[in-house]
Amino acid sequence: MTTLDTDISDARTISKIEKASESSRKNLTSKGASVAAVVIAVLWTVPTAGLLISSFRPEADIKTTGWWRIFVDPSFTLDNYRAVLSGSSQYNLSEYLINSAIITIPAVIIPISVATMAAYAFAWMQFPLKNFLFILVFALQIVPIQVTMIPLLSLYVDLGLAGGDAPGGGFYTIWLSHAMFALPLAIYLLHNFMSEIPGELIESARVDGAGHVQIFTRLILPLMTPAIAAFAILQFLWVWNDLLVALVFGGGSPDVSPLTVQLAALSGTRGQDWHLLAAGAFVSLIVPLIVFLALQRFFVRGLLAGSVKG
C-alpha cells in the first residue's frame, strides 16, 4: 500500500469517527432527550416542592386536602416552623438541629484530616508493605457497616466511652464511628487524586530542600481542594442524614440525638401531626441543600479526578 493509499484510508477513518461523533451529539441534544431530561427533573423536584408547600400550609388544610390545592385556594402560615423551632410544641427541633451540627462538623473534619495524610503516604512515601496495606484499606469498603456495630459498641463499652458515664455525652463515639466508616473511601478517593499530581513538582520541591511536611502543606493541600471538597460534601450528606449510627452509638439520648432521630420519633409517635413533620423534614433538608449548592462546582471535578489514567 502506497503512502497516498494510507493517507486516504486514514482520512476515511477520521471522517467516519467525526460522523459518528456528530450523530451521537445530535442524539444527545435531540428534542426527545431534552424532553426526557425535563420530565426527569420535574419528577425529581415535585416531592420536594410538595414538602415545601406543605410546610407552610395551616394544620387544618394539610389534614384535609393535598398540597396541590394551594394553587386554587392559597393559604400560608409560619406557625409550623414556629412550633418545631421555638419549642411551643412537644418537639423542639432546634436543640436537635444543634446536635446534628455538633455531630456532622467533627465527623467531616476528622476523616478528611486523617485521610489526606494517609493518602500522601501511600502516594509519595516508601515504606514496607505499602501496596498490601493500600489494598487492605480499599477492601474495607466492602465491609457492611451493620456487621461492625456490635463489636464496635462492645469495644466502646470496654473502653468506657459508651454508657451513661460516657465523656462528652456520647458525641465521641458517634464521631469516631463516622470517621472509621468514612476513612477507606476517603483514602481511596484522595489517593487517586494525589497520585495524578506530576512527580516533577514533588521532585522540584525536594531539590529545593522541602521536606514531607512542607510538600504536604504548601504544595499538595492547595492542589487537592476539589477532591477534599467533593469528599466533604459526600461525608456531610451521609452524616447529616444518618439515623442508624447516631441511634446505636448515641443510645437514643436526647442530649446527643441528631435531627433525624427526632424526625423518626415524630413520624412514629405523632404521625397525625403532618404539619410539624413537614416543617421539620424541610428544616432537615435545607442545610445539606445549601452545602451542596455552595460546593457543587468542586463536586464532579473532585470525584472524577484520578479516575482515568493515561
Side-chain angles (χ1 to χ4, degrees):
M1 182 180 292
T2 63
T3 303
L4 179 60
D5 293 335
T6 302
D7 293 340
I8 293 174
S9 178
D10 291 343
R12 289 175 177 174
T13 302
I14 294 173
S15 177
K16 290 180 180 179
I17 294 174
E18 290 177 348
K19 289 181 179 179
S21 176
E22 183 67 22
S23 177
S24 300
R25 189 181 299 110
K26 289 181 179 179
N27 291 333
L28 291 175
T29 58
S30 63
K31 292 183 178 179
S34 300
V35 171
V38 171
V39 170
I40 293 174
V42 170
L43 293 177
W44 193 272
T45 307
V46 164
T48 304
L51 178 66
L52 175 61
I53 293 173
S54 297
S55 67
F56 286 102
R57 299 184 72 205
E59 178 182 357
D61 292 350
I62 293 178
K63 293 181 178 180
T64 56
T65 60
W67 61 267
W68 49 88
R69 291 287 300 176
I70 199 72
F71 299 107
V72 295
D73 184 21
S75 178
F76 298 98
T77 180
L78 293 176
D79 292 341
N80 301 334
Y81 286 95
R82 293 192 187 99
V84 298
L85 293 178
S86 65
S88 59
S89 66
Q90 288 184 339
Y91 292 87
N92 183 6
L93 295 186
S94 59
E95 297 179 2
Y96 297 92
L97 186 64
I98 295 174
N99 286 346
S100 290
I102 294 174
I103 291 173
T104 303
I105 294 174
V108 173
I109 295 176
I110 293 173
I112 287 179
S113 301
V114 176
T116 50
M117 293 184 286
Y120 176 83
F122 282 122
W124 298 109
M125 297 178 68
Q126 298 298 327
F127 53 89
L129 302 176
K130 183 179 76 170
N131 293 333
F132 172 76
L133 291 175
F134 181 74
I135 294 174
L136 183 62
V137 170
F138 175 77
L140 289 175
Q141 296 182 62
I142 67 174
V143 178
I145 292 177
Q146 294 81 359
V147 174
T148 66
M149 284 188 171
I150 293 178
L152 191 57
L153 187 59
S154 299
L155 178 62
Y156 289 153
V157 172
D158 293 339
L159 295 176
L161 295 177
D165 298 331
F171 284 123
Y172 289 131
T173 57
I174 302 177
W175 294 339
L176 292 174
S177 301
H178 278 302
M180 285 185 283
F181 295 149
L183 276 175
L185 178 61
I187 293 173
Y188 175 71
L189 289 178
L190 296 179
H191 171 269
N192 282 357
F193 184 92
M194 198 176 298
S195 61
E196 287 298 302
I197 296 175
E200 291 79 4
L201 291 177
I202 308 298
E203 293 300 326
S204 298
R206 289 174 179 170
V207 170
D208 292 338
H212 285 299
V213 175
Q214 291 177 314
I215 293 174
F216 177 73
T217 56
R218 298 184 180 182
L219 180 62
I220 299 297
L221 285 182
L223 295 175
M224 290 182 62
T225 300
I228 293 175
F231 177 76
I233 293 174
L234 287 176
Q235 181 67 357
F236 185 94
L237 296 178
W238 167 260
V239 177
W240 185 271
N241 294 318
D242 169 71
L243 172 63
L244 184 60
V245 174
L247 192 59
V248 171
F249 296 104
S253 172
D255 294 334
V256 298
S257 293
L259 194 57
T260 51
V261 173
Q262 188 63 5
L263 286 176
L266 181 61
S267 62
T269 61
R270 296 182 63 85
Q272 71 274 17
D273 290 339
W274 294 108
H275 59 298
L276 299 180
L277 187 58
F282 199 80
V283 168
S284 177
L285 172 66
I286 192 63
V287 174
L289 184 63
I290 292 173
V291 171
F292 180 80
L293 292 177
L295 300 177
Q296 63 174 334
R297 64 192 181 96
F298 297 110
F299 189 66
V300 175
R301 183 172 45 162
L303 285 182
L304 294 182
S307 61
V308 179
K309 296 180 180 291

